Amino acid sequence: MAILPILKYPDARLGTKAKPVTEFNEELKQLVADMAETMYKAPGVGLAATQVDRHIRLVVIDVTEEKNDLKVLINPEIISSSEEKKTWEEGCLSLPGIYDKVDRPSEVVVKAVDLEGKEFTLTCDGLLAVCVQHEIDHLEGHVFIDHLSRLKQDRICKKIKKMRLAEKKNQEG
Ligand code: K1U
Ligand code: ZN
């Protein structure tokens, strides 16, 4: 297994729309194992293949405190969303140090296939619903700040530039 480098916003590769998975082979199993290890190590509760520069429709999620319920969603599709919305403070491993509130449907039903190519549906609420929507956004080439106002996005971009500059100064000593 391996820890994979995570693309950081505003890397243009995060804007790539992912393609469906068509081959269910050992290489895919290895990528899932590496993505799970990368997510747990970060630590995070989800990771999309886009974030590790693999532009296929694959996400891993584990929202349990015990980190013992890994969900692997291949070619996920939201087939129904509640009218009711919920506001959640989101973070993103591609935007370290940035958190903001996003409104999303509070419940979703997602259809996906597993590592054997077998179809299943998952009814999600709470953090799982937020995370599934956040990860599917990544597969579409979106990040959570795309849901915020232009003003908030501009402030976040300025904050990221400042953080990167400070990091660079630190590295230079
Ligand atoms: O896609 C990602 O970047 C992962 C992201 C998922 C997510 C978190 C919260 C709301 C929506 C989506 C993260 O995991 S950020 C890290 C994080 O929130 C967290 C880390 C450790 C424990 C609990 C949460
Ligand atoms: Zn993210």
Side-chain angles (χ1 to χ4, degrees):
M1 294 216 284
I3 302 293
L4 306 170
I6 297 176
L7 298 178
K8 299 293 184 299
Y9 183 88
D11 192 309
R13 290 170 290 181
L14 287 168
T16 310
K17 186 174 159 76
K19 295 205 164 71
V21 172
T22 52
E23 288 188 46
F24 296 82
N25 52 21
E26 278 308 308
E27 197 191 327
L28 183 68
K29 283 191 182 139
Q30 187 58 57
L31 178 59
V32 166
D34 291 346
M35 283 176 57
E37 194 181 8
T38 304
M39 173 186 75
Y40 288 128
K41 172 90 193 309
V45 290
L47 189 68
T50 309
Q51 294 175 278
V52 293
D53 203 19
R54 293 294 309 270
H55 302 286
I56 57 169
R57 303 189 79 81
L58 161 66
V59 308
V60 294
I61 294 176
D62 189 345
V63 296
T64 64
E65 270 183 30
E66 302 77 20
K67 302 290 163 215
N68 61 3
D69 186 20
L70 179 69
K71 296 189 192 308
V72 178
L73 274 59
I74 300 170
N75 300 337
E77 258 179 73
I78 291 173
I79 54 172
S80 82
S81 305
S82 61
E83 287 287 318
E84 190 198 27
K85 300 264 190 319
K86 185 150 189 192
T87 308
W88 206 285
E89 177 107 338
E90 297 195 19
C92 181
L93 299 176
S94 296
L95 288 116
I98 307 292
Y99 300 89
D100 218 318
K101 293 189 178 96
V102 178
D103 284 340
R104 297 186 189 265
S106 57
E107 282 185 33
V108 292
V109 179
V110 63
K111 180 178 90 174
V113 297
D114 65 17
L115 269 169
E116 314 305 325
K118 192 168 175 284
E119 193 174 301
F120 64 95
T121 60
L122 195 63
T123 301
C124 313
D125 61 10
L127 178 57
L128 180 58
V130 176
C131 199
V132 161
Q133 294 174 80
H134 177 114
E135 302 310 332
I136 293 176
D137 273 358
H138 277 304
L139 301 182
E140 293 300 319
H142 299 305
V143 289
F144 81 90
I145 64 167
D146 296 348
H147 291 274
L148 306 177
S149 67
R150 177 57 57 192
L151 180 68
K152 277 193 171 184
Q153 289 184 33
D154 287 347
R155 283 189 187 145
I156 287 169
C157 285
K158 278 185 193 142
K159 187 175 172 184
I160 290 170
K161 275 188 192 146
K162 268 193 186 166
M163 281 165 32
R164 297 282 143 80
L165 216 66
E167 267 169 31
K168 211 173 151 208
K169 276 194 182 156
N170 257 349
Q171 280 161 10
E172 286 165 1

